[in-house]
Amino acid sequence: MFKWIPLLVYLIHFCFGDELLSVHIMWRHGARKPYFCNWGCDDKMLSSMSELTPVGMRQHYVLGQWLRKQYIETGFLDPYFNETQIYIESSNTNRTIMSAYSNLQGMFPQGPIVPEIAKDLLLPPMADVKAPEGIQNFALPNKIQVIPIHSIQEELDYVMYMFCPVLWDEGAHNLHTDVYYDINSRSQELIKRFNKELNQNLTNIVELYEWRDTFISNIYNGGDNPKELTPDLMAELDKIAGLGFLLFYTQDYYQASLLTSEFFRTVLDGFDGILNGTSKIKYHAYSAHDSSIYASLYALNLTNVECYNQSYFGKVESNTTCITTYPDYTANIIYELYNSSTLGPYVKVMYNGTYVNICHDQALTCSYSHFKNILKGIRKDYKKECKIKDRSMPIDYQTPWWAITFFILVLGLFICSISMVVIIHQKKQRFVRQNNRYGV
């Protein structure tokens, strides 16, 4: 009986005029191996750091199953992959690409069936190959569904990797602000405790975040952590990790709005395309990182450094929404566009399965016009403000400076040669005319 509940909910929405039109979802990759080489790091680990693990694959497969219940079993999407309905992007890293594939296996667990044709047409043109056993009439074993994942190199990815040289400066700016100095100073008590209990020599809050990242990776993947790491100390690291991350990567609203401007432009373009009938893509997914999730939460005023600061250090709480839990593996934000016969188009935003308030005067629903106005404050001239030169080709294939210099020199010599030929020719012509004049 309960399996019919999602469909009934969808039908009720449909009958009363609220129709789901489009979904954009950004998720973080699943559990990976440690990213930072700070604990238990050896040569074997260095060769595969930050790669997706079987746990991460399982996490995203389960998330995909949840998304299937939300958007396929309710009738919003076709039960089989339909390339006209969904579009999947991933940042250009193994862990995000593999997360996307794992997610889609959960969302579309049954692959296509081959047509009834001659069996030899199902094989490559070698004489010694045979049909695989047990495959039955499915295209791939175990009903595997292959779905295209779109990706571009990091230096050109402004949507998920959010490449911005001005901000990704290894802390040259963010680690030298008054906010950083203040919070880092008040974090010294925890830093000293960490150093004493684990016999380390950390100096700042960002290092606490990095060590917590390693410990979390080990916990999720069944690895070992220092025996001195008590549950109480780990809980403190959990609470302060997000603050350390934001101080380093996305310290203020301007940075968050700049980093997310291209992503939100893509979301608006997708929603507008559905509303004006120029697009049929109903489900657009982005396989990304914790930095992508955090920047989006910050840009939507769902979290920021100050509310984190208030929450952790016990200062007076503000009245604004403040998400202070770290966006761990598979954390996700879903943007849903609906159309109502009474309200018109509106948007709802879900974070980790719970709807959140982004239009503070309209509860959990936000009129599309209001949503667009919010994003207008976020959208920036990304390339200009990040000081990114327009690139028609990847950085690796740009013409080197020495080649340009060589070309200019050759061109100069060519022009000089042509000029000399013209001058010599003109002198000869004058000499001939003079000889003819004097009858020589």
Side-chain angles (χ1 to χ4, degrees), residues 398-419:
Q398 286 188 328
T399 306
W401 66 268
W402 57 265
I404 296 175
T405 304
F406 179 75
F407 173 78
I408 293 174
L409 288 174
V410 171
L411 180 62
L413 289 172
F414 176 75
I415 293 173
C416 289
S417 300
I418 294 296
S419 300

Side-chain angles (χ1 to χ4, degrees), residues 55-71:
V55 172
M57 298 176 199
R58 171 68 66 85
Q59 288 177 309
H60 259 289
Y61 179 81
V62 174
L63 177 58
Q65 289 184 318
W66 183 85
L67 291 168
R68 179 178 178 83
K69 291 180 180 179
Q70 292 287 117
Y71 302 116

